[in-house]
Amino acid sequence: MSLIKKSQDISPPVLEENRRTPRDRAGLLSQLENDAPDIRRWAALDLVEFPDTAEVLCAQLAQETQTPVREALLTTLIKIGNPIVVNRLIPLLRSEDAALRNLVIEALQQLPEAVAPHMKEMLRDPDADYRIFSINVLDNLKHPQAPAWLQEVVEKDDNINVCAAAVEVLAEVGSAEVIPALSTLPERFDNDPFMEFCVQTAIRRIQGNGNRI
Amino acid sequence: MKRVLVIDDATTVRMYYRQVLEAQGFAVEEAANGYEGLEKALMESFDLYIVDINMPKMDGYTLLRSIRQEPAICATPAIMISTEGQVQDANAAYAAGANLYFNKPVKPDVLALTVRMLTGEKPT
Amino acid sequence: MNSPAAPTISEEEFQKFRDFFYRKTGIYFEENKRYFVDKRLIERIKATDNETFRNYFVMLRFETSGKELQQLINLMTVNETYFFREEYQFTCLVKSVLADILPRKRCGEPIRIWSIPSSSGEEPYSLAIYLLEYWPQVNAYDIELIASDIDTEILKKARQGRYDQRSISHLPAHLLHKHFTTTANGAYQISDDLRNSIDFTQVNITDLNQMRIYRNFDVVFCRNLLIYFDDTSRRIAAEALFNALRPGGFICLGHSESMSRITPLFKIRKFPEAIIYQKPLR
Ligand SMILES: C[S@@+](CC[C@H](N)C(=O)[O-])C[C@H]1O[C@@H](n2cnc3c(N)ncnc32)[C@H](O)[C@@H]1O
């Protein structure tokens, strides 16, 4: 038959099973626990209409194993984006699950206002891995305080990988004030060649040498 | 010329490995996350992958597991290099399909030698 | 009064910008693109009343609306559309992708293909022409072609199907003669048969509610749109496209776009002609 035009109505006659079940708050919440990933995923997307379910959504994210459902939960959580979401997501940075941690980092990056009040504390956490994840959040966070937070890290933190992560971000967002602090890093870490390389790169990038007026 | 694909979300880390390996005569390609790494690995051929753990969109473990399931590239050796320094991290790296695990930062001579060994390049 | 010197971009600044732009878009500018990039950056630095790259970059990096980044992306990419743009993907469709899909089709079930955003119609009409001309099995199947865009004006143009020289310049002459007539004022009018083979609809890809009714597609062409979106809008659009596809359905992005900056929801499928993304079968 070849190319056919399906008239004006492009909607399929009956939409899948999820259309037949109630799309109200209670209905969606119960579908969030359904065994079928597809139903959980649709519930996660539709719950965006009910921002007060943020806590449940975060709890589901923590235990969800299917990538498409996780992604949908995250999409909804970013759209809700309130302080409750951020409060519930931050502890997940301690998860053993690398994929989950990175999803959480991605979400937090999108919520600068709600993340900002937590950042100082996150950067002072005793766990170095956790501090690195916090710096990863700053890597793509549109918050004017980011350079100052990172400067404090390079001045005070004594873990080489934490400092290197901060230097990486400062290469993009840092300005001239941070150069003295950067310059002391190689010495603080036994002139480690990697640290030297990072610091040199960052300083070069911060200085640039474009035309300034 | 042997080809190495460096997969790490940190620009400076990729630049560093590139500098070390190019000095040893390797050709280096870069990818900024696991998904992009998989895409490049499927499009071009490489003699070795260097893989970070924590990256957006696709983490290093997931990437390695995916590589090990792709018939065309599953035999290519991979070094995982990350900031997490616990034994369980090395175990997890091995389980996902890494041939070697290093804790960051890696000394340049160690990196150069390991890459030579795993790619079968003659010692200098 | 001194007129300020024109801003310049140093090597380090170029690299800093290049790495940032790569992280945001997946587009990587080699050194030989330096002139191209500098010129456009300087244009934007001036247009935004910044005097230096440094000031401009801070604004670009921290601006919450992301408007300036979008402006830059517009400048750094080709915004126009034309017939047979990125033709290798159409080749991939008729040579590889459809063959992958057919075994999953029940008898009599149509093949559904979606062009979003269709803009003024060049892309969906190219698809129609390509299928008719280059897919040997075209007569054995029902094919539904749907084309959507957010812009109702552009959709009007698409339905009308009248094009200028620039739009058709990549089209082989024999296909031009076969499917178009020349109008009095030198425009090219596409045939009524082709106009009648495509459903044009208006939709905003980031509106999950509007997108809900678009389901069961086998192939979606979503080219040169997501690159202009911020991270969150891309993520929402990706969810919507995932919803729109059947399990095992395929999605083609523009050649400068990569799923690696958007979502890991899709599998990477390598065909001889192109890399295409696939919704997992299970
Ligand atoms: C550069 S054209 C791409 C046309 C064609 N796909 C191609 O690659 O040549 C971009 C189109 O995206 C449409 N567009 C922009 N935002 C949109 C949205 N949120 N939903 C749907 N279409 C959108 C614009 O109206 C424009 O026609």
Side-chain angles (χ1 to χ4, degrees), chain B residues 92-121:
Chain B
Y94 186 48
N99 301 73
L100 247 162
Y101 179 86
F102 284 125
N103 205 352
K104 280 183 186 174
V106 185
K107 295 273 184 274
D109 46 351
V110 175
L111 180 68
L113 178 63
T114 324
V115 170
R116 292 183 151 277
M117 289 165 90
L118 284 177
T119 57
E121 280 288 272

Side-chain angles (χ1 to χ4, degrees), chain C residues 70 74 78-83 85-86 115-124 148-152 154-155 202-207 210-211 221-229 233 237 253-254 257:
Chain C
Q70 182 162 13
N74 276 329
V78 185
N79 223 330
E80 53 172 10
T81 181
Y82 47 87
F83 279 89
R85 180 182 194 181
E86 291 156 30
S115 161
I116 175 171
S118 65
S119 187
S120 36
E122 287 88 335
E123 181 178 288
S148 309
D149 201 283
I150 194 172
D151 180 344
T152 49
I154 210 112
L155 284 168
Q202 193 265 340
V203 71
N204 176 358
I205 197 172
T206 60
D207 184 329
Q210 276 189 28
M211 289 285 284
F221 283 77
C222 182
R223 309 195 302 175
N224 305 300
L225 171 61
L226 300 184
I227 186 100
Y228 303 105
F229 284 176
S233 309
L253 299 180
E257 298 171 310

